[in-house]
Amino acid sequence: MQTSSTSPPALDPIRDVIRRVWGYSELRPLQHEAMTAARGGRDTLVVMPTGGGKSLCYQAPALLADRPTVVVSPLIALMKDQVDNLSARGVPAAFLNSSLTVADRRRVADGMLNGEYKLIFVAPERFASGIFWDLLEAGGVGAFAIDEAHCISHWGHDFRSDYRRLDQLRQRYPDASLHAFTATATPRVREDIAAQLHLREPEILVGDFFRPNLKYAAIERAYGFTDVIRAVKNRSRQAGIVYCIRRADVDELAASLQAAGVNAAGYHAGLSDDARTRVQDAFTAAETDVIVATVAFGMGIDRSDIRFVFHAALPKSIEHYQQETGRAGRDGAPADCTLFHHYEDYVCWQSIIEKEGGSDASGQLGMLREMYAFATSLSCRHRKLVTYFGQEWNRTSCDACDVCCGDVASLPDATVLAQKIMSAVYRTGERYGPAYIGEVLVGDATERVQARGHDQIPTFAAMLDYPIREIRAWIDQLADQGLLRREGEYNILKITPAGWRVLRSETDARLMPVKQPKRARKSRSSRRKTPGDVFAPGFGPASLTSRASGPAAPKAPPVPEGPLDIDARNLLERLKSLRREIADELNAPAFVVFSDRTLRAMARTRPTSATQMLEIKGVGPQKWEAFGQRFLDLIQETPTEPRP
Ligand code: ADP
């Protein structure tokens, strides 16, 4: 038998310090790589989802280094906690930000000069002061860790001008290594971070953005916040965050939830610092279950058992969405991320961005478009998020989103509709974009359609009964499913092999219903020759605005006034009780549902379709969407008395 003398394995100083100081026996993915590079003095760019454990990547190497590490972070509110936490573990650390008194600042400065600290946390605005630069030089710095590093990039979703000063770090401290950390960085932002900070051959480490315990879903919102309130009420006593666009929405929704018995609190930048701290602390301490917030809430939230993150409206970008939903389920247990959206959110953000008019407005509008496309898409939501951040996706299904789990309602005639669309693409030679295919399908004999003889092909007017907007949205959905492919600048549509299988009826396609954005469907005549699109080509709702600015639909004939007959009076009573029922559900006065005048018009004209309902004064698309169908059903169910 052979014997071998084996020396004990060399102790890994990184694992050792982590075990001793933090008590962790395992490292999370990429932590060891990040720490090893940092230990070796190599620049790093670490992209890890929220909760991935980025802090440890700079804290552990800092303990092993001779010279201190300066951590730049915009999260002033968290610095004290971080320092307290480290101090409790025996790690000498301090922070410098505007919250300190002059005396405290002097004390920390003295400590830095005496080399007392391993870690010094500073806010980016410190770098505006020449004295601070001098202090760093005098104290010496071994490494800079730049947290939330995407804030340095104009291409990111959270640009901060203070971060731009960090571009001088390299030149002023050529001996110090630089380490950038972020949870959200697309490949373009990543490159920009590396360029702005002048990173030297950085080790770029990108974590896994797939979080299978998060179940993603997107639902088109009905009237007001009723859907959201119902969803939150169903999550009794679970921890959750509900994001809104505006402060007023936060106040309204928080009040409605409280009235519905939910232990909820609102949080937005309009509250005093004290009030915000109180709300955040109560949530962290599990005294509050649900926070209703604007984007101002959440950076650095230290609660791992968040069971749901709902968006009551569309967020501004996929970066925001990913970061906000990333706060759910950090303990690894299942959590729901449901996005309640409506086209009006898109319009709202668009006007906010345009009003702000920043130099990167067009970039922001582009991000907004991507977000809307995400919400209305029929492709795996995890895949979309993961690939958005530049990661490969090799799974066939995520089993953790509404699309992959089959929760997205498909139209019963989806395959036939898809076949019509794809055959229009085929019969026009796979040479045109969505706008043109839409024209052909609705039978719009524009000059260009006639010139190419496409008004003579069998698919011309094959979808005469559908608004072009719906067809455009379905084209996007087919592309999302990989049945159509868009090519080049003009989004020329081509049929993919999977698309051919649908065309040959070998497999089915799925299409989601497309709801009305703002106004009623238009009559056929209003479709012709409307102004061009204002959105980027190929983007789903492109035709919305162009169509909305087109000629108006013909007006409904005026409803004759006068006394109601017996049937109409009977129906009116039933309509009124339905109105009461809905008003109770909404916790709103009855007139908010429909006015008496509108109900009388319904009773008199007895509409039989959505179009006829929408012609009644007081029935807008929003109300139609929210509860119109219930009134229409009631009208159909209410018999008229047989006449002698
Ligand atoms: P991030 O900054 O990436 O959002 P944090 O650094 O705040 O994440 O880490 C999230 C949580 O995970 C913290 O509570 C941290 O202590 C914990 N953590 C980090 N690394 C490990 C590890 N290797 N083992 C166990 N827990 C860890």
Side-chain angles (χ1 to χ4, degrees), residues 18 22-29 31 35 48-59 82 85 89 147-148 181-183 300-302 304 330:
I18 285 171
W22 282 273
Y24 301 148
S25 49
E26 303 281 333
L27 285 180
R28 298 227 176 115
Q31 281 185 326
M35 294 177 200
M48 259 187 210
T50 309
K54 290 184 283 298
S55 328
L56 210 59
C57 297
Y58 56 79
Q59 290 176 353
Q82 282 172 306
N85 201 308
R89 299 176 193 281
D147 210 359
E148 312 289 347
F181 297 89
T182 175
I301 279 293
D302 196 11
S304 62
R330 282 165 67 168

Side-chain angles (χ1 to χ4, degrees), residues 90-165:
V91 179
F95 67 92
L96 259 184
N97 63 34
S98 53
S99 74
L100 290 183
T101 61
V102 175
D104 280 340
R105 256 181 257 174
R106 191 164 303 143
R107 184 181 48 75
V108 173
D110 287 345
M112 285 168 70
L113 291 172
N114 294 332
E116 283 175 22
Y117 307 120
K118 286 284 184 196
L119 283 143
I120 303 147
F121 293 80
V122 301
E125 57 267 25
R126 290 290 103 201
F127 292 91
S129 137
I131 298 175
F132 179 68
W133 287 98
D134 295 342
L135 177 64
L136 287 182
E137 234 148 272
V141 183
F144 286 94
I146 295 117
D147 210 359
E148 312 289 347
H150 58 274
C151 295
I152 204 171
S153 173
H154 261 307
W155 304 117
H157 62 287
D158 209 5
F159 171 70
R160 295 181 191 218
S161 52
D162 284 329
Y163 264 70
R164 275 289 157 104
R165 293 195 194 94

